[in-house]
């Protein structure tokens, strides 16, 4: 860079430093006054807490959800928490004051005079919606039978008599705010999700073992010898036996209405371009060894017969769960689809309310243009295991709707809109998958679910990498290479650790208004911009004195320790160029810039829409994963 350019950079840096220093002084000088702000409607808050589906189902069933809203001294928005425990956890967070300032006022739902009670299953209901009461004036019933979506809740009241009456009817005891803060209710967090990743793998192993036992049935009917067609063989076979379909071409639609195994090594089955080819209507069915084509091209129900649990759910069921498929099953248990090759203009495998389903070692070839096709595997209303499969083309590789507990692992997704697409689905494990060439992103989690684990996935050469919404999830050990945005955090109260963001236009986009995520031990290398932030207060990407590795953050002042001796901000106009511009490295040691850095992270709300790592790592946290990101021949499973 020319010397004149360097001087221009230095002048700009000094000017920026003066302006930001003045802004920080102004932040201290705000006169907050003595008046406590009045509560606002919960709809007007920035919300943290329950999954969207849980809130919708609570509204549909008439359940009431206790809430808290907090006015912070250095935050423009009122923050709403679903559940008293969630609010206490946030208020006790060590980084809260640094990011939001101190709480000016905290209000909670007031159930006094609302005839609050627990119905038979413990659901909390009222005659009218609760009002607000300051938490310091409230009386809280803890340990009662009251619950929302199966989780216990703390129920607040403005009067001790109403609290005592509720405890008499629903159980529990009455405590004040300070007692509750000293002994807060347990809340589900990302740490708990991390600890259960291995349990989810083990649970999936058990489901697969159970499904594989369906392949051990003895052969009772052979097509062509004992019956002229596959359908005739199904109708002739005794339950819990195998129908053997020898190699050859078969053109028919098959309805499996009893517990059987269809084994078709070398058999090619076509539906002639209409409808679903194999429709399963019995429990304990296995389909293995077939090549299936001639699937109809309908992607939604045409007769209005698909129903859901509510109006919004019925629309999704009809629009996504009623189309044609190579293999489809509804309202049955324990379906095993293994070693099947599918060519389809619509769905590959479609599952609605099929507990115990496993899709294993399946190849699905969808439409070349994603807008023309649909889902490789679609599961609705029950958990499924999808593993060791390869899905090419179509709209989404795996699409889930209200399928909590699903495990998607060791698959390869090529050239769809989304590789994995979660809707209203919590407690899912998406692990060790490979995604390439997606028009939108390799993995996307939408509609505010909770407690998902996204681990060990490898996404490259796609428009987007891994986009995570919802809350209380665990996103770790993933690789995103050569995307527009490697990782996008729409999520709240979620841990992002051990990920490698390499060669992306933006490595990590912090898109939530409320910064509540833990971002630590990630490696940011060769990105055009390592990280960006949306509106909101300062985001601190450090936990327990340890931050992330940022290519370019190293300088000559480094003393050889595990972390650098100064903060790093990937959103700072100077720092974000350290890995790209020599002049930026020189300017980083200027006294004015050093003084500005000393202020980073010390002032609540300082540097809006900014990210600061107060303890950047001196060396990559994940060297082996980083080496795989650099090496294009290391691609993971199946590519």
């Amino acid at each position: 860079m020319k010397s004149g350019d360097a001087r221009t950079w230095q002048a700009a840096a000094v000017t920026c430093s003066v302006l930001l220093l003045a802004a920080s002084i102004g932040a201290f000088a705000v006169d907050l006054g003595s008046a406590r702000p009045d509560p606002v409607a919960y709809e007007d808050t920035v919300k943290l807490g329950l999954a969207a589906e849980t809130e919708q189902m609570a509204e549909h069933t008439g359940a009431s959800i206790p809430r808290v809203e907090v006015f912070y001294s250095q935050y423009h928005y009122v923050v709403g928490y679903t559940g008293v425990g969630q609010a206490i956890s946030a208020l006790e967070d060590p980084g809260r004051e640094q990011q939001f300032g101190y709480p000016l006022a905290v209000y909670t739902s007031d159930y006094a005079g609302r005839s609050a009670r627990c119905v038979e299953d413990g659901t909390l209901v009222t005659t009218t919606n609760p009002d607000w009461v300051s938490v310091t004036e409230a009386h809280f019933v803890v340990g009662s039978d009251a619950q929302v979506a199966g989780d216990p809740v703390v129920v607040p009241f403005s009067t001790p008599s109403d609290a005592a009456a509720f405890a008499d009817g629903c159980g529990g005891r009455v405590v004040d705010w300070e007692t509750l803060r000293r002994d807060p209710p347990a809340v589900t967090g990302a740490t708990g999700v991390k600890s259960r990743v291995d349990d989810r793998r083990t649970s999936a192993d058990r489901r697969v073992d159970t499904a594989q036992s369906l392949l051990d049935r003895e052969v009772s009917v052979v097509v062509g010898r004992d019956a002229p067609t596959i359908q005739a063989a199904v109708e002739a076979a005794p339950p819990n036996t195998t129908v053997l379909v020898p190699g050859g071409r078969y053109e028919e639609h098959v309805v499996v209405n009893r517990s059987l195994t269809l084994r078709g090594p070398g058999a090619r089955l076509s539906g002639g371009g209409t409808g679903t080819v194999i429709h399963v209507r019995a429990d304990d069915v296995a389909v293995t060894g077939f090549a299936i084509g001639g699937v109809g091209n309908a992607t939604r129900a045409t007769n209005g017969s698909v129903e859901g649990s509510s109006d919004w759910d019925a629309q999704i069921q009809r629009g996504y769960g009623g189309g044609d498929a190579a293999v489809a099953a509804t309202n049955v248990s324990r379906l095993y689809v293994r070693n099947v090759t599918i060519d389809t203009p619509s769905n590959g495998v479609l599952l609605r309310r099929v507990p115990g389903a496993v899709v294993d070692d399946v190849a699905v070839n969808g439409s070349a243009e994603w807008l023309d096709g649909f889902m490789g595997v679609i599961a609705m209303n029950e958990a499924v295991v999808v593993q060791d499969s390869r899905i090419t083309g179509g709209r989404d590789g795996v699409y889930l709707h209200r399928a909590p507990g699903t495990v998607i692992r060791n698959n390869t997704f090529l050239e769809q809109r989304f590789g994995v697409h979660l809707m209203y689905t919590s407690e899912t494990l998406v692990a060790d998958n490979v995604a390439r060439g997606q028009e939108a992103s390799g993995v996307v989690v939408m509609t505010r679910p909770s407690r998902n684990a996204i681990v060990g996935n490898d996404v490259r050469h796609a428009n987007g990498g891994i986009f995570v919404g919802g809350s209380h999830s665990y996103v770790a050990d993933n690789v995103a290479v050569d995307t527009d945005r490697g990782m996008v955090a729409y999520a709240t109260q979620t841990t992002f650790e051990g990920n490698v963001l390499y060669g992306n236009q933006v490595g990590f986009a912090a898109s939530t208004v409320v910064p509540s995520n833990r971002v630590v031990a990630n490696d940011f290398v060769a990105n055009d911009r390592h990280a960006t932030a949306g509106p909101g207060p300062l985001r601190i990407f450090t936990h327990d004195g340890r931050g992330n590795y940022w290519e370019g953050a190293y300088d000559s002042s480094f003393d050889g320790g595990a972390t650098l001796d100064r903060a790093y901000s990937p959103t700072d106009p100077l720092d974000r160029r350290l890995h790209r511009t020599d002049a930026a490295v020189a300017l980083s040691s200027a006294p004015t810039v050093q003084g500005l850095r000393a202020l980073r992270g010390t002032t609540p709300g300082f540097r809006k829409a900014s990210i600061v790592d107060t303890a950047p790592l001196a060396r990559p946290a994940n060297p082996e994963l980083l080496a795989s990101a650099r090496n294009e021949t290391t691609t993971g499973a199946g590519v």
Side-chain angles (χ1 to χ4, degrees):
M1 180 176 284
K2 296 180 181 180
S3 60
D5 293 336
R7 286 193 296 272
T8 300
W9 270 98
Q10 189 168 20
V14 171
T15 301
C16 182
S17 301
V18 171
L19 290 174
L20 289 172
L21 188 60
S24 71
I25 294 171
F28 285 115
V30 173
D31 182 8
L32 298 172
S34 58
R36 185 170 66 187
D38 293 328
V40 301
Y42 188 76
E43 291 72 22
D44 296 333
T45 67
V46 177
K47 302 170 187 62
L48 295 174
L50 287 178
E53 182 199 2
T54 302
E55 290 189 309
Q56 287 172 333
M57 293 305 294
E59 180 179 349
H60 177 70
T61 59
S64 182
I65 303 174
R67 310 180 192 276
V68 174
E69 61 180 34
V70 182
F71 295 75
Y72 289 106
S73 62
Q74 296 291 337
Y75 192 45
H76 178 68
Y77 303 100
V78 182
V79 181
Y81 298 94
T82 307
V84 177
Q86 295 285 354
I88 294 175
S89 178
L91 289 166
E92 299 297 331
D93 190 305
R96 184 264 306 161
E97 187 167 344
Q98 193 177 32
Q99 293 179 297
F100 299 100
Y102 58 87
L104 297 172
V106 183
Y107 295 100
T108 188
S109 302
D110 180 10
Y111 285 87
R114 262 63 182 180
S115 300
R117 67 191 189 281
C118 302
V119 296
E120 185 175 346
D121 64 354
T123 300
L124 177 64
V125 297
T126 63
T127 53
T128 58
N129 292 328
D131 203 346
W132 295 104
V133 59
S134 171
V135 292
T136 58
E137 300 167 3
H139 307 269
F140 300 87
V141 178
V142 299
S144 73
D145 296 330
Q147 60 180 12
V148 173
D151 291 330
V153 294
V154 175
V155 187
F157 298 84
S158 59
T159 62
S161 57
D162 282 305
F166 182 83
D168 287 342
C170 258
R173 69 186 194 280
V174 181
V175 300
D176 62 15
W177 177 242
E178 289 306 317
T179 302
L180 188 60
R181 290 190 69 171
R182 287 194 299 270
D183 185 20
V187 296
T188 302
T191 301
V193 176
K194 176 181 179 180
S195 68
R196 291 195 297 273
V197 167
D198 287 343
D199 291 340
R200 294 184 184 183
R201 295 184 196 272
T202 301
S203 176
D205 291 342
R206 288 196 295 267
R207 281 184 272 172
V208 172
D209 288 344
T210 299
Q212 285 178 337
S213 67
L214 300 177
L215 302 182
D216 298 333
R217 294 159 162 166
E218 66 176 356
V219 175
S220 62
V221 179
V222 178
V223 176
R225 185 192 72 184
D226 305 315
T229 65
I230 300 174
Q231 187 63 56
V234 167
E235 293 171 359
N240 299 311
T241 64
T242 294
V243 171
L244 179 61
V245 185
R249 181 175 178 83
Y250 303 81
E251 188 159 329
E252 58 179 299
H253 297 86
V254 179
V255 176
V256 184
N257 54 12
R258 63 190 66 190
S259 299
L260 294 172
T261 295
L262 289 185
R263 186 183 295 275
R268 301 185 62 82
L269 176 60
S270 172
T274 63
T276 290
V277 181
I278 297 179
H279 202 142
V280 177
R281 294 179 178 170
D283 298 339
D284 297 317
V285 169
V287 178
T288 181
F290 288 87
I292 302 174
V295 182
N297 61 7
T299 59
R300 61 180 291 123
T302 57
N303 58 9
S305 61
V306 177
E307 296 181 358
S309 58
S310 61
D311 289 342
W312 68 270
D313 187 57
Q315 292 174 10
I316 295 174
Q317 298 278 356
R318 187 174 299 112
Y320 282 73
D324 296 330
V327 180
T330 304
N331 296 324
V332 299
S333 300
R334 295 177 299 280
L335 171 65
Y336 188 34
V337 182
R338 184 182 185 277
N339 189 24
V340 172
T341 299
I342 295 169
D343 292 288
T344 178
S346 52
N347 297 298
V349 180
L350 191 159
L351 308 167
R352 292 179 51 237
R353 294 185 290 276
V354 184
V358 174
V359 178
D360 185 6
D361 190 23
V362 168
V364 181
N365 302 302
S367 58
E369 295 293 331
W370 70 264
L371 281 168
D372 296 335
F374 223 52
M375 313 304 182
V377 177
I378 178 170
M380 311 181 82
N381 304 99
E382 289 287 350
V384 62
V385 175
V386 182
Q387 66 176 25
D388 300 326
S389 296
R390 183 184 182 95
I391 302 175
T392 304
R395 186 163 299 191
D396 298 345
V398 175
Y399 173 90
L400 303 179
H401 170 71
R402 297 181 62 198
T406 287
V407 174
I408 304 170
R409 60 183 181 181
N410 302 309
N411 303 288
T412 296
F413 302 106
L414 304 174
E415 300 174 355
Q416 300 94 9
R417 175 185 63 169
F418 301 121
V420 178
H421 185 183
L422 273 62
M423 296 284 286
Y424 300 100
T425 297
S426 300
E427 299 179 345
T428 287
L429 174 63
V430 180
D432 306 317
N433 301 288
V434 168
R436 300 285 185 272
Q438 278 67 36
E439 288 290 331
S441 62
V443 178
V444 62
V445 180
M446 293 183 176
T447 59
R448 292 185 9 240
S450 63
R451 302 184 293 276
N452 288 305
I454 317 293
V455 298
N457 302 285
D458 188 310
V459 182
R460 307 186 191 207
H461 315 309
N463 281 340
I466 298 173
F467 292 10
V468 184
S471 64
H472 300 100
S473 293
Y474 180 65
V475 184
D477 306 325
N478 302 286
V479 172
V481 178
D482 186 28
T483 71
D484 288 346
R485 293 179 292 172
M487 194 164 283
V488 179
Y490 300 110
T492 58
Q493 298 162 294
T494 290
T495 293
F496 296 84
E497 69 178 15
N499 302 291
V500 171
L501 295 313
Y502 181 89
N504 305 285
Q505 291 188 31
V506 174
F508 187 102
S511 298
T512 51
V513 176
V514 182
S516 58
N517 296 319
R518 179 181 299 175
V519 183
V520 65
N522 303 286
D523 294 326
F524 297 84
V525 178
N527 303 293
D528 185 49
R529 292 191 64 176
H530 286 328
T532 60
L538 184 69
R539 294 158 171 87
I540 307 296
F541 280 15
T542 310
H543 179 69
D544 285 344
R546 188 168 186 246
N548 304 270
Y549 176 76
W550 309 89
E551 180 191 32
Y554 174 91
D555 64 20
S556 57
S557 66
F558 173 55
D559 62 4
T563 60
L564 303 183
D565 59 1
R566 64 170 179 81
Y568 173 84
S569 171
T571 53
D572 175 78
L574 180 59
D575 275 5
R576 76 186 193 199
R577 292 175 170 82
L578 288 176
H579 63 296
R580 297 168 47 214
T581 308
D582 291 340
V585 176
L587 285 172
S588 68
S589 59
T592 306
V593 175
Q594 295 283 358
L596 177 62
R597 283 179 174 140
L599 283 175
R600 282 190 186 136
T602 62
T603 306
F606 186 46
R607 296 174 61 80
K608 302 294 184 183
S610 291
I611 298 168
V612 169
D613 187 336
T614 60
L617 303 180
R619 301 172 189 83
N622 314 281
E624 293 183 3
L625 207 57
L626 178 57
S628 77
R630 288 184 167 124
N631 182 3
E632 190 54 42
T633 63
T634 305
T635 55
V639 175

